[in-house]
Amino acid sequence: NTKFSQKAKVQKDLNAILNQMDKIFTNKEPYMKKYNVLSIFLFLLHLKHNYSTTEIKNSEYLSFIDDFEKERLKNNTRSEDDSGFDPRLQKYSHTCSNSPDSLDHMAFRQKVLMEQFLSKYVDLPTKDAIRFFTPEMKICIYLLNNKKCQSKRDDCPVKGEVLEITDCEFDHITEHTSGGKTKVSNGQTMCCICHQEKTAASNRKKR
């Protein structure tokens, strides 16, 4: 019975996303090739499972995909020396024409779509009140914060330096324990020392 109920839930989710795609793409868009259909399907499924999207209209999804595809095509005409060149979009295009159905390539395209979407909808909260930022949220926060520690401390050991994402810690601007939501707009990158100091200062205030 458990296996049957799980299978029924999966089928329900799949049908819900397919119905949503029918409502989003009422016209036959030129970019809706097989590889993009799969990528957008996985993107919408990931959103459904992990984020609260009830306030986002189907027309907004269509506008987002339209804008994404326009930017991706523009990026294909840019040289790597161009200031507007985006290597992630270049790789996205590469995966569309080289083994587009491979699991790794589909996962990569879904990841890029999520990162771009969260960069636009920075106030999109997670579905559950989770404390930790999702991987795609971290990438968005990292890029939006210019890859630097956001602490205002004068003695920040890496003040003004560009950091690797692995050297960053991701902090709730309004703390989670104080009701701060886990969303891109409430996140900031910090070095470990500044993050520890902020947490310690907050704990001192609560005493």
Side-chain angles (χ1 to χ4, degrees), residues 1-8:
N1 286 340
T2 301
K3 183 180 283 189
F4 178 78
S5 63
Q6 289 176 338
K7 185 177 180 180

Side-chain angles (χ1 to χ4, degrees), residues 76-88:
N76 289 344
T77 67
R78 295 174 181 140
S79 69
E80 294 185 13
D81 296 330
D82 193 312
S83 60
F85 177 77
D86 188 334
R88 294 174 305 160

Side-chain angles (χ1 to χ4, degrees), residues 98-139:
N98 294 274
S99 303
D101 297 337
S102 78
L103 293 178
D104 285 347
H105 285 181
M106 285 192 290
F108 175 79
R109 293 195 300 271
Q110 180 252 315
K111 179 185 174 190
V112 171
L113 286 169
M114 277 303 312
E115 291 168 6
Q116 296 282 339
F117 192 78
L118 289 175
S119 293
K120 181 175 181 178
Y121 291 92
V122 295
D123 287 320
L124 187 69
T126 52
K127 181 167 281 189
D128 300 315
I130 63 172
R131 178 172 183 172
F132 299 105
F133 293 102
T134 64
E136 56 265 17
M137 280 180 158
K138 288 182 178 180
I139 292 173

Side-chain angles (χ1 to χ4, degrees), residues 15-33:
N15 288 337
I17 298 301
L18 290 173
N19 288 335
Q20 183 181 9
M21 289 181 72
D22 280 341
K23 292 175 182 177
I24 293 172
F25 302 102
T26 55
N27 298 317
K28 190 174 181 179
E29 304 296 340
Y31 52 75
M32 287 300 280
K33 311 293 184 184

Side-chain angles (χ1 to χ4, degrees), residues 2-207:
T2 301
K3 183 180 283 189
F4 178 78
S5 63
Q6 289 176 338
K7 185 177 180 180
K9 183 180 183 305
V10 170
Q11 189 62 53
K12 183 180 179 181
D13 282 347
L14 296 179
N15 288 337
I17 298 301
L18 290 173
N19 288 335
Q20 183 181 9
M21 289 181 72
D22 280 341
K23 292 175 182 177
I24 293 172
F25 302 102
T26 55
N27 298 317
K28 190 174 181 179
E29 304 296 340
Y31 52 75
M32 287 300 280
K33 311 293 184 184
K34 180 183 176 183
Y35 59 79
N36 252 353
V37 171
L38 290 171
S39 303
I40 293 168
F41 177 88
L42 292 173
F43 157 68
L44 292 172
L45 186 64
H46 185 77
L47 273 177
K48 175 180 172 62
H49 285 167
N50 296 283
Y51 297 90
S52 179
T53 59
T54 52
E55 295 184 6
I56 300 178
K57 300 175 183 177
N58 288 330
S59 59
E60 292 180 81
Y61 287 114
L62 179 61
S63 177
F64 164 72
I65 298 295
D66 279 346
D67 291 343
F68 173 82
E69 282 298 312
K70 288 174 186 174
E71 183 57 29
R72 181 173 75 85
L73 293 175
K74 283 182 184 177
N75 194 70
N76 289 344
T77 67
R78 295 174 181 140
S79 69
E80 294 185 13
D81 296 330
D82 193 312
S83 60
F85 177 77
D86 188 334
R88 294 174 305 160
L89 293 183
Q90 182 192 47
K91 185 175 179 181
Y92 189 105
S93 294
H94 176 79
T95 65
C96 291
S97 55
N98 294 274
S99 303
D101 297 337
S102 78
L103 293 178
D104 285 347
H105 285 181
M106 285 192 290
F108 175 79
R109 293 195 300 271
Q110 180 252 315
K111 179 185 174 190
V112 171
L113 286 169
M114 277 303 312
E115 291 168 6
Q116 296 282 339
F117 192 78
L118 289 175
S119 293
K120 181 175 181 178
Y121 291 92
V122 295
D123 287 320
L124 187 69
T126 52
K127 181 167 281 189
D128 300 315
I130 63 172
R131 178 172 183 172
F132 299 105
F133 293 102
T134 64
E136 56 265 17
M137 280 180 158
K138 288 182 178 180
I139 292 173
C140 289
I141 294 166
Y142 176 67
L143 295 175
L144 290 170
N145 285 189
N146 298 314
K147 308 178 183 179
K148 297 178 182 179
C149 177
Q150 298 300 299
S151 173
K152 301 298 189 290
R153 295 172 64 229
D154 291 332
D155 57 349
C156 170
V158 292
K159 192 173 184 67
E161 294 180 19
V162 173
L163 305 175
E164 296 292 333
I165 192 169
T166 51
D167 294 328
C168 294
E169 295 190 0
F170 294 85
D171 171 65
H172 288 75
I173 297 170
T174 299
E175 293 185 18
H176 189 265
T177 54
S178 300
K181 292 186 178 180
T182 302
K183 55 185 182 179
V184 172
S185 64
N186 191 42
Q188 63 180 352
T189 48
M190 300 189 86
C191 69
C192 62
I193 292 176
C194 289
H195 194 200
Q196 288 170 4
E197 177 57 33
K198 181 182 180 229
T199 301
S202 175
N203 289 338
R204 288 193 293 269
K205 287 181 181 179
K206 293 175 183 177
R207 289 174 187 168

